[in-house]
Amino acid sequence: MNENMDKNMNENNEEKPTFKAMTISQVKKENKRNKMMKEISGKKTLTGFIIFVCAIALVFLGLKLNKKMLVLSIGDTNIGIVENRKVLNEYEAKLRKEISEEENVLDVEFKEEIRVDKIKFDKTKLSSSEKVLEGLRNNLTYRIKAYVLVVNSNEVAMFKNKDQFNAVLNRVRNNVYNDNQTFDFANEQSKIKEYFYGSIHIDYKFVDLNELTQNDKLVKRLEEKQESKTYKVKTNDSLIVIANKYDMTVEELLLANRGFTENQVLRTGQEINLVLPMAKLPVIKYTDEEYEAVVEPNVEKIINNDQYEDYQSVIEAGSEGKKRVNVRIKMVDDTEIAKEIVKEVVLEEAQTRVIEVGAKKLPNKPEKGLFQLPVRNYRLITEYFGGNRGSYNHKGVDFADNGYSEIYAAYPGKVTFAGYGTHDNGNTGYGYLVIVTHSNGWQTYYAHLKEDSICVEVGDKVDSNTMLALMGSTGDSTGQHLHFELRKNGEHVNPADYIFGIED
């Protein structure tokens, strides 16, 4: 107990903090001192910042004063110092423009390479523009941008400028026309197409001046004939295949090969021309021509729904008219290339032709009675289809009569033979014969006709009311009769199957 009491007494006797009271004047002094310390601290921070900014500025100034400039040289020759690539490009462009104007050309390109080295210099070392331009001019050589005349994919001539281009082309044209007209061919490409033949256009190329030639030589070169070029025909070749292969038209191939037609059959190994026999720059010459031409009549069709679609009958024949035609002919080296109608004046009006046509669809196989009896008055049938003739069977039907009965077409069609006929084996057994070709592979034969009685011609259109001739006894005949045949796709068929009035 005594120990605890001693402990408590010791704890109570420990020294407690004491606070010393300050006077008002002391407080004011303390505040003034603190304020001064803050001001000093702020000034130190500002000074440090200023020093930092100045250091950065000095660094940039140093870089500025020692920036990498471009040292220019051509070969071993120093040209000068420029600030950057942009400045060099401006000098080059300026020099190209000056030379182009001096040479009167579209543009130039420099042959030599300008070497560029980056080295640190200050701006005081930069070369003047006059020095750099003079150095470039004295040490650079150049090519000019020339006009190139391309004819049918071939470069035929080069020209320094548009003045030379126009002068040469005008001379080539005027040597054909014998006049003094001039055209700006360089800027009016439509005029090139009007006066020169072929696929022609202007291209451009940078060339040395010594590659160009004078006007006289250029004119002579363009008036020279093209070198011949041939092609040996291969299997399955045609004009259109060859034309496509050589970037030509079929019309150009036909012009290069006189006597050829559009459907010309070519033989393997045959040589044909690929080049027209013309100048390298062919001049088109125009001539005018006037002539009278036929005006075909308009055709008015009257539909007859009761007749088959191959039926046709003329109601009004109509008549042809006349017109005066003015044409402009395009010639190249005395070869006619094209003809253009400039003007037409009608001198006499054509009269409309009126025809009646059938609209009824044709059957695939003729029905019984579709064909008519070819002879309307006959005494008897002397022989039917298939009759025994010894070595062969009779191929038609024979109608006999005492007089010269009229023979008519058995069905509408077109006359494809009219004259003295032959058997299929070449013997002149049919005598005078008419053959009419119908639709769908049908044909009718009318044989042994009376001499000089045929009243139709090849190409005539006929129907069942059209008389063909008179019955006769020409050819292999023992009496006056009509030998009538009906064929389908060249094969004989029995007329009795398709004509009323014929019995087997």
Side-chain angles (χ1 to χ4, degrees), residues 98-131:
E98 289 178 0
I99 297 174
S100 298
E101 290 176 352
E102 291 170 6
E103 293 285 359
N104 187 21
V105 295
L106 289 172
D107 196 5
V108 298
E109 69 172 9
F110 299 119
K111 297 181 186 180
E112 292 78 14
E113 180 184 358
I114 302 174
R115 195 175 74 246
V116 175
D117 296 310
K118 291 184 178 180
I119 301 177
K120 285 186 178 181
F121 285 109
D122 61 57
K123 276 193 172 182
T124 60
K125 301 295 184 181
L126 289 176
S127 303
S128 66
S129 60
E130 291 80 6
K131 179 183 177 183

Side-chain angles (χ1 to χ4, degrees), residues 302-305 307-312 356-360:
I302 298 174
I303 306 300
N304 185 337
N305 293 316
Q307 293 285 355
Y308 286 99
E309 58 190 2
D310 62 349
Y311 168 80
Q312 179 174 301
E356 183 182 40
V357 295
K360 191 176 176 182

Side-chain angles (χ1 to χ4, degrees), residues 45 56 68 71 107 112 120 127 145 156 218 230 232-233 255 259 336 363 392 417 486:
T45 301
I56 294 297
K68 284 187 177 181
V71 179
D107 196 5
E112 292 78 14
K120 285 186 178 181
S127 303
K145 188 175 183 179
V156 296
L218 286 172
T230 60
K232 191 168 285 189
V233 176
L255 288 170
E336 182 179 313
Y392 72 96
F417 183 84
L486 180 59

Side-chain angles (χ1 to χ4, degrees), residues 283-287 329-338:
V283 178
I284 299 171
K285 184 76 179 285
Y286 295 93
T287 59
I329 303 172
K330 184 187 291 187
M331 306 283 292
V332 177
D333 287 347
D334 298 325
T335 300
E336 182 179 313
I337 301 300

Side-chain angles (χ1 to χ4, degrees), residues 465-482:
N465 292 318
T466 305
M467 191 178 85
L468 305 178
L470 297 176
M471 186 184 292
S473 185
T474 55
D476 291 345
S477 172
T478 57
Q480 190 162 288
H481 73 286
L482 169 69

